[in-house]
Amino acid sequence: MQLEQQNLLKREKMGLFKNINIDKLKSGLAKTRSAIFNRISEAVTGKVKLDEDVFHELEEILITSDMGVELSSEIIEDVKRKLVYESVRNEETIYKVMENSLTSILENSFTNVEYEPDYTNFKPYIIVVVGVNGAGKTTTVGKMAHNFYQAGRTVIIGAADTFRAAANEQLEIWAQRAKVSIVQKGSGADPSSVVYETVKKAIDEKVDVVIIDTAGRLHTKNNLMDELSKIQRVIKKLLDYAPNDIFLVVDGSTGQNAIQQAKAFSKSVNLTGLIITKLDGTAKGGIVFQIARELKLKIPYIGVGEGIDDLQNFDNSLFVKTLIGSN
Amino acid sequence: MLEDLSAKLELALKKVRGQGKITEKNISETLREIRRVLLDADVNFKVAKEFIEKVSVKALGQEVLVSITPGQLITKIIYDELTLLLGAKNSELEINPTGPTIILIVGLQGSGKTTFSGKLAGKMKQLNRKPLLVAADIYRPAAIEQLKQLGKSISVPVFSLEEKDARKISKEALLFARQNGNDTVIIDTAGRLHVDEVLMPEISDIKELVNPTETLFVVDSMTGQDAVNSAKAFHEKVNFTGIVLTKLDGDSRGGCALSIRAVVGEPIKFISNGEKLNAIENFYPDRLASRILGKGDVVSLVEKAQEVFDEKDSARLEEKLQKNKFDFEDFRDQIKMIKKMGSLSSIMAMVPGLNPAMMKDAKIDDKALVRIEAIIGSMTKEERKTPKVLNGSRRKRIAIGSGTSIQEVNRLIKQFQEMQTMIGRMKQKGFLNSVFNKKSFNFN
């Protein structure tokens, strides 16, 4: 239609990105952590007073880490306020002030203690792992099982992802690698029945810890979220103290949607912890801060690779240092 | 998908809409809001910044002076720029006309490559091609098994080797395809981080070996700011030719799609939005932009429609459509109105979300409108009200009465039935509500 063609032509003319120097944009986006840090130094040391430009730079560091606009501005305001009391405003001071601001957010909700199930008071100790598709749940379950086994504990994995093709086979390989046992049912089986059998077996065989791997689900699918609540209920019926932990696994490169995920999952089940995976890339995992503030979850682990040992304890001060680029 | 973003943009735009003049002051507030909306939607910081700068230049420039209302112009500019940034035109999958079409699937871990490979194979099969799936992910436990199960469920062969050599698997798969007459080869590769010093060279080698027609970069629509880094690194290594956006059935705003488009310049070719194997869609940038703004060309459609539909008629028609009681009487009324609005196919073309293929199915021929009117005119009132009674002898009578042929009468009745089906589909898409209640447009 004529009108359509005119609109298209007009669009071409008004081409927003036509005149952008893509190379410049690309190189700008490729800044490494140290480069960003150098920029703070430049921005700070090159000027007598910290002006708005400097704060824009700081804001960029925070926003590009996926911290979100709101929290980033809050932190900038906080840094501004605190800098008033600093006599020397050099690279070191601003780094320290910002680091303290960020670390304090995590301090309110996290501890740096190594995660260990409370074996003395609960046997079996039940852990359920939940999350959206592709977050890294199964890999995390395998690594956790390996950790517990290495610590001399008996472990059973429950394969409650009966939906995705070959999810059973994938988890079975992980169970073999970790040298732990696994309870499985055919594809398409009711996940709750797998959970029931796993927990039952753990009780009968006096196993120390149970890890339930669930199917990936988008937090917007109500029926699938209800399925999780049901799993939680089934466990509780067998053991009134359980599940002891429900960990949400979030891909470290996730953007602001991670907050939605965390909120939705915590509505369906009693989340107790957050595991951030794939932090061995260039994503900085800034979403942790908002989740920390909003839901007060501990971070038992972070995932840094595909190997069985690539599950690390979370160290908030190190995490902050990495995020703002001093490491 | 992007409703949240739409809602926020809507709010931001409200502040400008209805004001007589755009001043630097009130536009800057709006643009700050838009910047925030974009960043909240995970559009990369720098991409968002460039976007805002350009929009502000436009909004304060000459074009503002000639606009009817400032709000309309800003809406239009934002919509146009978003569409442009997303790709301006729909990009189809490249098919190799001379030999097998080889599609290499790459991306980060967990982005949805294997599921997408299965979906694409299913789609290719539907298009009467002979796809072969290749299991080249030798690292993730049971990845090969997963692809085998997917292949089995859609009856598409899966090529795999016992050997743990992705390069060899890819190469031999091509031989296998040639021997077995597979014209489409879809190679599912392992997920890898863009900074992986072992696996990035591997994917680059595979690309060299198989010389793919298309290399598709699969990206999770929930990805944040880092999307630009991974996309850029993959683009440098394998020069991918298209982007696949996955998991759009959630509530992520998909801003990473804007970022990646801006940085690598390759088109988004598919939307993968669900765990079922038929959940694959072509990507239309204008629809995504419409969605971002919660409107789009549908605005002009509504305006046009309002000119010819009076409130009472539209209420009556809507009721009929909702109940699927649309009959030949209504059909004739519609034809009259449509004549006033322009051609039916052009009107359909303005509706974002209506698949052109679907319209083709319905075979809308504007020139036939006159003959159609004649045919309907030769029907009795009963026949128009209850088209089911139209048997052979009635059809013959109508053909003679209208000066057409039985074939044409049959065709019209068939078209009418197709139209009813289409209306049913439009109803599912929320089209009717949005047009008749003038609510914001919403596709799911």
Side-chain angles (χ1 to χ4, degrees):
Chain A
M1 201 185 155
Q2 253 185 0
L3 193 80
E4 267 299 287
Q5 282 166 351
Q6 278 168 7
N7 281 345
L8 268 171
L9 277 173
K10 221 169 166 188
R11 264 177 228 160
E12 307 269 46
K13 273 186 204 155
M14 296 201 288
L16 176 61
F17 281 79
K18 217 168 202 170
N19 303 321
I20 287 183
N21 183 338
I22 289 291
D23 286 326
K24 199 180 144 200
L25 186 63
K26 280 183 186 172
S27 71
L29 294 166
K31 274 175 192 122
T32 61
R33 283 166 189 153
S34 65
I36 290 170
F37 187 57
N38 284 340
R39 268 169 51 239
I40 304 185
S41 319
E42 279 164 28
V44 178
T45 52
K47 283 164 192 162
V48 184
K49 269 191 167 183
L50 294 165
D51 58 14
E52 280 303 306
D53 285 349
V54 179
F55 288 109
H56 284 315
E57 300 254 310
L58 294 180
E59 190 193 23
E60 179 176 350
I61 294 171
L62 299 180
I63 287 176
T64 51
S65 83
D66 290 317
M67 205 170 292
V69 181
E70 198 184 315
L71 185 55
S72 298
S73 342
E74 272 177 44
I75 287 162
I76 298 291
E77 289 310 308
D78 192 41
V79 171
K80 274 184 189 170
R81 268 196 304 275
K82 285 175 179 160
L83 272 173
V84 172
Y85 304 105
E86 299 287 336
S87 49
V88 189
R89 292 175 192 174
N90 58 15
E91 165 187 339
E92 216 171 304
T93 341
I94 191 166
Y95 163 67
K96 271 275 165 255
V97 170
M98 184 130 119
E99 189 183 319
N100 289 340
S101 279
L102 290 171
T103 314
S104 73
I105 295 174
L106 296 180
E107 260 168 10
N108 295 333
S109 348
F110 300 107
T111 55
N112 288 333
V113 195
E114 186 167 337
Y115 174 75
E116 198 190 25
D118 182 358
Y119 299 116
T120 25
N121 293 313
F122 304 103
K123 190 169 180 165
Y125 191 91
I126 314 284
I127 301 168
V128 181
V129 174
V130 301
V132 298
N133 316 63
K137 288 175 296 304
T138 304
T139 308
T140 302
V141 166
K143 292 174 184 174
M144 277 169 69
H146 172 73
N147 276 5
F148 300 151
Y149 176 80
Q150 288 296 311
R153 298 293 170 176
T154 48
V155 186
I156 292 187
I157 294 176
D161 180 358
T162 54
F163 180 79
R164 209 206 64 203
N168 261 331
E169 287 82 349
Q170 185 181 352
L171 195 60
E172 202 177 326
I173 294 168
W174 275 109
Q176 281 164 12
R177 284 184 187 171
K179 304 190 186 71
V180 303
S181 52
I182 182 168
V183 173
Q184 292 179 311
K185 275 194 173 185
S187 145
D190 178 9
S192 297
S193 76
V194 178
V195 170
Y196 183 89
E197 275 182 34
T198 313
V199 176
K200 196 86 179 32
K201 190 175 178 210
I203 297 168
D204 293 346
E205 297 177 6
K206 299 190 167 48
V207 166
D208 291 323
V209 57
V210 170
I211 313 169
I212 306 283
D213 184 25
T214 61
R217 65 201 75 218
L218 288 180
H219 50 288
T220 48
K221 312 248 155 130
N222 291 332
N223 55 333
L224 295 179
M225 294 308 279
D226 290 346
E227 188 186 276
L228 276 190
S229 318
K230 189 180 169 194
I231 287 174
Q232 183 177 284
R233 283 198 305 274
V234 166
I235 296 172
K236 202 166 187 60
K237 258 189 187 168
L238 282 163
L239 298 166
D240 60 357
Y241 63 81
N244 301 82
D245 273 318
I246 301 180
F247 294 149
L248 173 68
V249 178
V250 173
D251 185 326
S253 63
T254 313
Q256 299 308 300
N257 193 249
I259 322 305
Q260 254 58 58
Q261 288 174 26
K263 281 185 190 164
F265 275 98
S266 76
K267 254 185 202 168
S268 300
V269 290
N270 302 321
L271 286 184
T272 60
L274 178 69
I275 298 176
I276 309 288
T277 61
K278 310 183 199 175
L279 284 178
D280 44 334
T282 50
K284 299 184 190 74
I287 32 147
V288 165
F289 294 87
Q290 280 163 281
I291 300 176
R293 250 196 358 180
E294 194 84 35
L295 296 167
K296 314 247 179 276
L297 298 172
K298 64 187 173 192
I299 300 193
Y301 297 109
I302 55 168
V304 291
E306 287 183 288
I308 199 155
D309 292 313
D310 293 333
L311 207 54
Q312 285 182 1
N313 296 319
F314 179 72
D315 177 334
N316 41 3
S317 137
L318 184 69
F319 184 77
V320 168
K321 281 183 179 142
T322 315
L323 186 134
I324 63 176
S326 64
N327 264 33
Chain B
M1 175 169 78
L2 285 149
E3 275 79 9
D4 283 349
L5 178 57
S6 308
K8 290 207 169 178
L9 269 176
E10 191 84 50
L11 210 75
L13 288 169
K14 233 173 217 168
K15 296 190 175 172
V16 179
R17 234 186 253 141
Q19 290 173 19
K21 231 184 203 174
I22 290 178
T23 66
E24 202 160 330
K25 204 179 157 200
N26 67 20
I27 198 85
S28 81
E29 194 193 325
T30 307
L31 294 177
R32 248 201 316 279
E33 290 274 347
I34 290 168
R35 172 183 182 267
R36 195 201 156 88
V37 165
L38 294 176
L39 291 174
D40 280 346
D42 295 320
V43 174
N44 178 269
F45 187 85
K46 279 199 153 53
V47 174
K49 201 177 163 205
E50 295 275 359
F51 184 79
I52 300 304
E53 277 167 10
K54 289 283 178 177
V55 171
S56 65
V57 167
K58 290 255 184 292
L60 293 169
Q62 183 120 31
E63 285 161 281
V64 177
L65 300 171
V66 299
S67 75
I68 307 158
T69 75
Q72 280 171 342
L73 184 68
I74 286 175
T75 310
K76 185 92 180 87
I77 291 171
I78 289 168
Y79 170 76
D80 288 346
E81 302 302 0
L82 276 174
T83 308
L84 209 101
L85 180 49
L86 286 167
K89 48 181 171 275
N90 160 35
S91 196
E92 299 283 329
L93 189 81
E94 192 86 33
I95 296 294
N96 182 358
T98 52
T101 298
I102 297 157
I103 305 159
L104 185 62
I105 311 291
V106 304
L108 299 172
Q109 291 99 336
S111 53
K113 287 175 298 304
T114 306
T115 306
F116 172 73
S117 297
K119 288 177 182 177
L120 185 61
K123 190 183 166 81
M124 288 295 132
K125 208 186 158 200
Q126 271 180 3
L127 295 170
N128 289 322
R129 296 187 67 87
K130 267 194 80 184
L132 174 71
L133 280 163
V134 181
D137 179 357
I138 52 173
Y139 305 99
R140 182 165 61 90
I144 295 171
E145 180 58 28
Q146 185 185 351
L147 196 65
K148 278 183 183 167
Q149 290 186 12
L150 291 177
K152 200 178 165 190
S153 68
I154 50 171
S155 306
V156 168
V158 176
F159 181 86
S160 65
L161 289 180
E162 287 300 313
E163 272 168 281
K164 290 234 166 217
D165 184 346
R167 295 174 180 87
K168 196 175 174 189
I169 292 169
S170 310
K171 214 177 160 186
E172 291 199 6
L174 295 194
L175 269 170
F176 179 91
R178 219 154 280 154
Q179 284 158 5
N180 291 273
N182 296 107
D183 55 12
T184 310
V185 182
I186 300 165
I187 306 173
D188 178 32
T189 65
R192 62 200 77 215
L193 277 175
H194 51 289
V195 290
D196 193 314
E197 286 167 8
V198 178
L199 294 184
M200 287 310 281
E202 183 203 73
I203 196 74
S204 167
D205 285 354
I206 292 175
K207 155 113 192 188
E208 289 295 310
L209 280 170
V210 303
N211 187 24
T213 321
E214 288 266 18
T215 303
L216 300 179
F217 178 64
V218 179
V219 63
D220 186 330
S221 61
M222 297 181 275
T223 310
Q225 296 282 323
D226 199 49
V228 288
N229 294 324
S230 48
K232 203 166 82 77
F234 268 93
H235 196 244
E236 274 164 13
K237 280 279 175 201
V238 297
N239 244 309
F240 59 78
T241 52
I243 299 159
V244 178
L245 210 52
T246 65
K247 307 179 201 172
L248 269 171
D249 46 332
D251 59 356
S252 72
R253 298 176 188 169
C256 67
L258 292 166
S259 312
I260 298 174
R261 273 286 303 147
V263 175
V264 303
E266 303 297 348
I268 299 163
K269 298 214 164 177
F270 290 104
I271 300 289
S272 179
N273 56 357
E275 292 186 84
K276 295 208 174 92
L277 281 174
N278 58 5
I280 175 171
E281 287 173 14
N282 291 337
F283 175 74
Y284 298 96
D286 50 340
R287 285 187 207 168
L288 189 53
S290 296
R291 221 171 151 131
I292 289 167
L293 294 172
K295 44 177 80 75
D297 281 353
V298 77
V299 175
S300 51
L301 172 64
V302 171
E303 279 167 8
K304 278 197 169 193
Q306 277 163 357
E307 283 169 23
V308 286
F309 285 80
D310 80 55
E311 290 283 334
K312 227 168 90 192
D313 277 350
S314 68
R316 186 181 61 88
L317 180 65
E318 182 191 11
E319 203 193 338
K320 289 208 161 194
L321 290 175
Q322 292 290 7
K323 289 178 184 163
N324 237 343
K325 278 188 181 163
F326 188 74
D327 60 29
F328 271 113
E329 290 264 299
D330 305 296
F331 196 10
R332 190 166 58 168
D333 291 346
Q334 291 312 298
I335 289 167
K336 282 176 188 156
M337 281 191 238
I338 284 159
K339 277 175 151 178
K340 281 195 244 171
M341 288 170 78
S343 74
L344 184 55
S345 47
S346 71
I347 287 158
M348 300 308 262
M350 279 194 293
V351 181
L354 281 188
N355 193 331
M358 191 172 104
M359 283 156 54
K360 217 163 92 191
D361 285 344
K363 293 188 190 78
I364 297 159
D365 181 1
D366 294 311
K367 287 173 196 165
L369 287 181
V370 184
R371 299 177 80 82
I372 289 170
E373 271 193 290
I375 294 171
I376 299 173
S378 298
M379 292 176 185
T380 66
K381 200 167 182 182
E382 190 210 352
E383 287 164 343
R384 285 199 290 267
K385 288 266 181 207
T386 349
K388 272 183 196 164
V389 301
L390 287 165
N391 58 23
S393 62
R394 284 174 191 256
R395 289 180 192 208
K396 198 174 167 187
R397 193 205 74 236
I398 292 165
I400 296 164
S402 60
T404 57
S405 65
I406 293 190
Q407 285 82 0
E408 272 177 289
V409 174
N410 285 341
R411 204 183 308 136
L412 173 68
I413 292 165
K414 199 168 165 250
Q415 279 176 334
F416 175 77
Q417 283 161 348
E418 278 169 342
M419 193 164 167
Q420 276 187 319
T421 318
M422 194 173 70
I423 284 162
R425 281 191 232 166
M426 280 157 64
K427 213 171 84 183
Q428 282 166 11
K429 292 216 172 204
F431 170 83
L432 296 173
N433 281 335
S434 65
V435 171
F436 292 101
N437 300 335
K438 296 163 204 159
K439 279 178 188 163
S440 66
F441 214 75
N442 184 7
F443 283 106
N444 270 315

